[in-house]
Amino acid sequence: MVKIEESWSRYLGEEFNKPYFANLAKAVHEEYRRGTCYPPGELVFNAFNLCPFDEVKVVIIGQDPYHGPGQAMGLSFSVPEGVSMPPSLINIFKEIEADLGKPMPPNGDLTRWAKQGVLLLNATLTVRAHEANSHQQLGWTTFTDAAIKALNDHKNGLVFMLWGRFAQGKKYLIDHNKHCILESVHPSPRSARLGGWFGNHHFSQCNAYLRERGEQEIAW
C-alpha cells in the first residue's frame, strides 16, 4: 500500500490499483534493492505529503530527482539544508532576487514553499545514483500526469510554472481557461545563458495572479 497524504489518495487512489502501477512499484523496488537510488524511499512521495491536494496553489514541474549523494529530497529543484545548491536552483534564487528583491537564502531546502501550497513535482519520482533519467521509462510519468490532470480537472486558478521543453510538454494536460500557465526556458546555466530565464518575472506574476484571486501570496 502506498503511503500518500489523504487528500491526494482521494484523487489518485485508483492509480494504485492499475496494472501499470503494480509494474512500476515492482520495478522501483527491484532498482532500490539492486543498487543506490534516490531519493530515500520514505521521501519518494514527499511533494504530495508536504503539499496536500486541497492546498495546492502553484505547480512547478521538474524532470527527475537529483542523482548525486544527499541531494534528492522528493521535491523538484530542492536540496536539503547543508547540501550545496545546484546551478539551476542558484539561478532560480537569482531571478527571485531580481524580480522581488529577496536576497539569496542560506540553503536550498524548498520545504517552506511546499508548505505554502507549491507542489514541487518531478515527472519521474526516483532515479538511479549518478544516472540522470535512468527511471524515466518505469512508468512514473503515467502517475504524475494523472496528478497534473487531477489538479487541472478538480481545481481552479492554479499557477503552473513550466520551465524548459520537458515541462512545457505537459501543457496539453492543463486548461489555460481555468489556470495560469507561465512558461520560460529552464533555469539550468546552459538554457539561462541563451536567454529567457532571467527577467521572466514568474514569481511576481504568480503572486499578482494569486492576489487578484484573493489568495495568499507565496513568500518566495
Side-chain angles (χ1 to χ4, degrees), residues 2-219:
V2 174
K3 290 182 180 176
I4 195 169
E5 191 276 330
E6 188 181 350
S7 64
W8 277 106
S9 67
R10 288 202 301 271
Y11 295 97
L12 296 179
E14 288 183 16
E15 298 300 309
F16 303 136
N17 297 319
K18 292 179 180 178
Y20 88 85
F21 198 89
N23 293 332
L24 166 63
K26 184 178 176 183
V28 170
H29 180 78
E30 182 63 15
E31 284 282 316
Y32 274 75
R33 189 189 68 78
R34 287 171 52 190
T36 302
C37 296
Y38 302 119
E42 68 274 12
L43 296 179
V44 169
F45 294 101
N46 202 24
F48 300 95
N49 294 332
L50 287 176
C51 186
F53 186 96
D54 300 335
E55 296 173 22
V56 177
K57 295 194 284 189
V58 182
V59 183
I60 298 177
I61 299 173
Q63 194 158 353
D64 73 334
Y66 296 122
H67 52 82
Q71 292 181 306
M73 54 183 297
L75 305 175
S76 61
F77 295 101
S78 181
V79 291
E81 188 173 348
V83 174
S84 296
M85 290 189 219
S88 293
L89 185 54
I90 290 172
N91 283 342
I92 289 170
F93 286 134
K94 282 181 177 176
E95 175 56 24
I96 290 171
E97 185 169 20
D99 190 18
L100 299 173
K102 293 195 70 169
M104 186 82 67
N107 64 71
D109 186 347
L110 303 182
T111 298
R112 60 191 176 84
W113 291 6
K115 289 183 174 179
Q116 294 178 76
V118 181
L119 181 67
L120 296 157
L121 181 66
N122 279 317
T124 298
L125 299 186
T126 58
V127 70
R128 202 178 298 146
H130 311 298
E131 294 183 47
N133 299 319
S134 49
H135 287 181
Q136 200 169 22
Q137 305 304 319
L138 296 186
W140 277 125
T141 52
T142 304
F143 176 75
T144 53
D145 282 358
I148 295 168
K149 193 170 186 313
L151 288 166
N152 175 74
D153 293 350
H154 297 285
K155 293 181 78 78
N156 287 291
L158 299 180
V159 179
F160 287 86
M161 294 184 173
L162 307 181
W163 300 337
R165 206 173 301 169
F166 179 86
Q168 287 157 15
K170 304 295 182 182
K171 193 161 69 164
Y172 78 98
L173 296 166
I174 306 161
D175 182 349
H176 67 87
N177 294 309
K178 290 176 65 179
H179 306 287
C180 173
I181 300 174
L182 301 176
E183 297 180 69
S184 83
V185 300
H186 195 275
S188 70
R190 184 164 174 263
S191 297
R193 268 198 306 273
L194 297 173
W197 171 255
F198 295 112
N200 67 28
H201 300 294
H202 277 192
F203 303 96
S204 59
Q205 287 180 55
C206 171
N207 278 353
Y209 180 81
L210 293 175
R211 209 163 44 239
E212 285 168 16
R213 293 181 51 81
E215 298 267 10
Q216 182 75 35
E217 298 177 25
I218 305 299

